[in-house]
Amino acid sequence: MIRMELGKNSYNIELERGNLNRASELLNLDRKVMIITDEGIPIQYAEKVAGQSKEAYIKVVPQGEGSKSLQTAEEILTEMLKYQFSRKDCVVSVGGGVVGDLGGFVASLYMRGVDFYNVPTTLLSQVDSSIGGKTAVNLAGIKNIIGAFYQPKAVLIDPDTLDTLPERQLVNGLFEAIKMGATNDKELFDLFLNGGLPKYPEGTASDSSCRWKENLDLIIEKALLVKKYVVEQDEKESHLRKILNFGHTIGHGFESAAHGRYLHGECVALGMLYMSSEEVQEQLCEIYENLGFELPEFYSFNLEEVKEAVLHDKKASNRNCSVVFVSEIGKGSIEEWPMEEVLERLEF
Ligand code: GLY
């Protein structure tokens, strides 16, 4: 268990295999529970939580960013009203970042705030998005533009849920952990380099996947400790928390121009290269190779579209833009760069 210390908003991050079977011991489910999951998440995870709840309702939303909308939030709030949820009842998100952000958002609104539990079942949400209280929906094509900082009452992580996650999704999540290592924790970063991993014969993707799978629980724990360290010091992202945006400013540009061809983490992987020293770039490329990850082909993107998306990003809305640059592993720095300089990096 890791304790997130945020004064009266403190909470436990329960991390252990088999935790899903102990949900009712670790969370207060002895009340009405609105469980939010999506069509891409095996329904048995939501059902497992429902089976341990006093009175559960499962809301399955469509998979993807489209569900992070005011309309979906309104649908869920309307159901909570219909089932006569009181301020003492709760919302539980079971799934990835989309349902986590949506569930937290809904919980923050219903009767001015009901308890929220996050049960992340994807690696990306287990290492990053389920922790720290960022909740949001999208509006007018702008990601996460409507939302609130609303901390969960607890986060329940069961790495056994990763068994049903396709390998590409697992690697997608690893990129957020690599981000944490690159900016804050060299030991975590080194777990992805050959030195920290058992050597397998060169070759197939499954060989390379075996290496990091052996360290998966440790990777999750170390990434969570970085997130705890950062969020405890800067819950509302006044400064230090921006470090977690490493690779995201340019990465979001690629993600937007990819039109679904590449996953979030894959675009962050590309974005990190643009904001690193040559030495760090080399190590990142070595890791990508270890993971069997082929970088998205730069020329497959429309550069103007990427640039436009970077400019459009809310994090880059001013003339100057906060960026994270990593010149040495474990020591990311938050810097203010003129927007033109950020866009010039794309010309490398
Ligand atoms: N995922 C970045 C943050 O929580 O601040």
Side-chain angles (χ1 to χ4, degrees), residues 128-129 131-132 134 179 227 231 237 241 244-245 248:
D128 190 4
S129 65
I131 314 296
K134 276 189 180 175
K179 168 195 83 177
K227 185 96 191 220
V231 172
E237 197 171 311
R241 190 164 174 172
L244 301 176
N245 294 332
H248 282 62

Side-chain angles (χ1 to χ4, degrees), residues 32 73 76-91 104-115 150:
K32 286 186 185 169
I76 299 167
L77 290 165
T78 307
E79 287 192 24
M80 290 172 74
L81 203 57
K82 181 172 127 198
Y83 299 127
Q84 298 180 325
F85 271 61
S86 76
R87 189 173 282 154
K88 293 195 172 127
D89 296 320
C90 68
V91 174
F105 180 69
V106 164
S108 75
L109 291 175
Y110 191 77
M111 292 188 162
R112 300 198 182 93
V114 293
D115 287 354
Y150 192 72

Side-chain angles (χ1 to χ4, degrees), residues 196-224:
L197 299 163
K199 267 273 189 199
Y200 281 79
E202 297 256 319
T204 64
S206 58
D207 289 338
S208 59
S209 72
C210 290
R211 301 175 188 169
W212 53 263
K213 275 183 186 158
E214 289 173 22
N215 283 315
L216 201 48
D217 292 24
L218 184 61
I219 288 167
I220 297 170
E221 187 184 352
K222 280 186 161 293
L224 288 172

Side-chain angles (χ1 to χ4, degrees), residues 93-291:
S93 286
V94 178
V98 167
V99 294
D101 285 7
L102 175 68
F105 180 69
V106 164
S108 75
L109 291 175
Y110 191 77
M111 292 188 162
R112 300 198 182 93
V114 293
D115 287 354
F116 172 58
Y117 297 118
N118 218 338
V119 183
T121 62
T122 66
L123 186 57
L124 193 133
S125 58
Q126 291 185 353
V127 297
D128 190 4
S129 65
S130 66
I131 314 296
K134 276 189 180 175
T135 78
V137 294
N138 309 327
L139 186 69
I142 306 180
K143 254 180 105 151
N144 299 333
I145 197 72
I146 310 285
F149 284 99
Y150 192 72
Q151 298 295 340
K153 281 282 170 237
V155 178
L156 188 148
I157 301 175
D158 181 348
D160 279 345
T161 58
L162 302 177
D163 292 348
T164 51
L165 205 64
E167 176 127 343
R168 184 176 175 199
Q169 289 288 348
L170 276 174
V171 173
N172 181 49
L174 288 180
F175 293 123
E176 295 286 7
I178 292 164
K179 168 195 83 177
M180 309 268 192
T183 52
N184 283 276
D185 182 352
K186 185 170 166 8
E187 257 183 43
L188 167 57
F189 189 87
D190 286 350
L191 285 174
F192 294 95
L193 291 167
N194 275 335
L197 299 163
K199 267 273 189 199
Y200 281 79
E202 297 256 319
T204 64
S206 58
D207 289 338
S208 59
S209 72
C210 290
R211 301 175 188 169
W212 53 263
K213 275 183 186 158
E214 289 173 22
N215 283 315
L216 201 48
D217 292 24
L218 184 61
I219 288 167
I220 297 170
E221 187 184 352
K222 280 186 161 293
L224 288 172
L225 288 172
V226 170
K227 185 96 191 220
K228 167 185 156 71
Y229 167 80
V230 170
V231 172
E232 282 180 352
Q233 290 179 74
D234 180 20
E235 184 186 350
K236 302 273 170 76
E237 197 171 311
S238 316
H239 185 68
L240 180 65
R241 190 164 174 172
K242 289 181 184 164
I243 202 89
L244 301 176
N245 294 332
F246 175 47
H248 282 62
T249 305
I250 286 180
H252 277 163
F254 282 116
E255 194 176 355
S256 170
H259 302 291
R261 275 181 298 139
Y262 297 108
L263 303 174
H264 174 76
E266 294 170 345
C267 294
V268 169
L270 190 54
M272 289 193 283
L273 289 175
Y274 285 90
M275 300 308 286
S276 301
S277 64
E278 266 180 46
E279 188 195 340
V280 171
Q281 280 170 0
E282 273 170 30
Q283 294 186 66
L284 283 169
C285 286
E286 184 183 331
I287 288 175
Y288 298 166
E289 204 177 309
N290 288 344
L291 296 177

